[in-house]
């Protein structure tokens, strides 16, 4: 399913009445590690959190050059992590989860070696087991994202544009099970990702 989504995203951005020139479209891949704050927070006697552990994250960004300073982009982001219960200083795994986000936005060159991007879209959590807080499924939530991509000047003109990516996103989270258990307010979730990226198609720097 993820592979079909990537193919569809590439086809959407590269298709057009004139079959946009391949030189106008750039595709960039990034792999890294992601930290996330808690999906659920509660206080019984001691604070109790349910949060993803630090896990791998990959992104595929597709951008099209324009005559203006801003370049429109679409980004597919996928990450995996163990879901852990944190209580009294101890952590115990009770599930695992895959998070898939698709955002659209724009990037801009801040300097010859630095590009910045902002975007907005949706995020979906897919648990390995639909039990506990995921019984009854999970919803689709709006997500906002911002990032920086730094490529050393000496490498900025290279074929693959290698660089370092720093991304941040923010979204709310809840599930029907949590709502039924009395968690009527959605939890605000912050995610930070550090990765290494490279351009795999086209010309021009892509966003993180």
């Amino acid at each position: 399913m993820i592979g079909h989504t990537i193919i569809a995203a590439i086809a959407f951005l590269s298709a057009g009445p004139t079959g946009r020139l391949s030189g106008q479209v750039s595709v960039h891949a990034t792999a890294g590690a992601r930290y996330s704050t808690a999906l659920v927070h509660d206080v019984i006697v001691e604070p109790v959190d349910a949060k993803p552990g630090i896990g791998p994250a990959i992104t595929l960004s597709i951008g099209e050059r324009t005559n203006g300073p801003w370049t429109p982009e679409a980004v597919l982001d996928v990450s995996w992590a163990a879901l852990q219960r944190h209580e009294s200083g101890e952590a115990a795994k009770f599930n695992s989860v895959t998070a898939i986000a698709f955002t659209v936005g724009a990037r801009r060159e801040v300097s010859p070696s630095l590009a910045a991007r902002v975007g907005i879209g949706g995020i979906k959590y897919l648990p390995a087991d639909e039990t506990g807080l995921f019984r009854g499924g999970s919803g689709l939530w709006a997500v906002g994202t911002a990032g920086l991509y730094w490529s050393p000047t000496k490498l900025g003109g290279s074929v693959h544009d290698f660089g370092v990516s720093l991304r941040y996103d923010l979204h709310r989270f809840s599930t029907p099970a949590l709502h039924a258990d009395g968690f009527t307010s959605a939890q605000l979730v912050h995610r930070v990702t550090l990765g290494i990226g490279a351009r795999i198609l086209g010309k021009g720097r892509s966003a993180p």
Side-chain angles (χ1 to χ4, degrees):
M1 183 181 73
I2 295 174
H4 291 164
T5 304
I6 294 174
I7 293 173
I10 294 175
F12 173 78
L13 287 177
S14 60
T18 60
R20 298 187 183 101
L21 297 176
S22 60
Q24 294 178 316
V25 176
S26 61
V27 180
H28 198 278
T30 303
R34 168 167 290 148
Y35 167 82
S36 175
T37 60
L39 301 181
V40 183
H41 175 75
D42 193 15
V43 178
I44 304 174
V45 178
E46 296 286 340
V48 179
D49 291 330
K51 61 181 296 185
I54 295 175
I58 60 173
T59 62
L60 185 69
S61 62
I62 308 170
E64 184 179 14
R65 289 187 296 169
T66 64
N67 293 327
W70 294 92
T71 298
E73 286 196 326
V75 178
L76 179 66
D77 180 297
V78 183
S79 60
W80 303 265
L83 198 56
Q84 302 173 336
R85 176 187 174 95
H86 291 257
E87 184 176 7
S88 300
E90 297 184 357
K93 177 183 175 181
F94 66 92
N95 204 340
S96 59
V97 67
T98 299
I100 302 177
F102 182 78
T103 60
V104 293
R107 66 173 166 85
R108 181 169 183 166
E109 299 281 335
V110 179
S111 73
S113 60
L114 187 66
R117 178 186 182 273
V118 293
I120 190 169
I123 185 170
K124 175 78 172 179
Y125 282 85
L126 303 175
D129 297 309
E130 292 191 352
T131 57
L133 65 93
F134 285 105
R135 69 185 188 276
S138 61
L140 179 68
W141 294 89
V143 59
T145 180
L148 295 172
Y149 187 77
W150 177 76
S151 179
T153 304
K154 291 183 179 179
L155 298 179
S158 67
V159 175
H160 296 293
D161 184 27
F162 293 102
V164 178
S165 169
L166 178 63
R167 299 194 310 278
Y168 165 80
D169 63 59
L170 176 70
H171 66 277
R172 292 188 177 275
F173 176 84
S174 186
T175 66
L178 288 171
H179 194 272
D181 290 341
F183 293 85
T184 55
S185 298
Q187 177 75 18
L188 196 61
V189 181
H190 305 263
R191 305 192 307 168
V192 178
T193 310
L194 181 65
I196 297 175
R199 187 178 59 250
I200 58 177
L201 180 67
K203 299 178 181 180
R205 187 165 302 156
S206 293

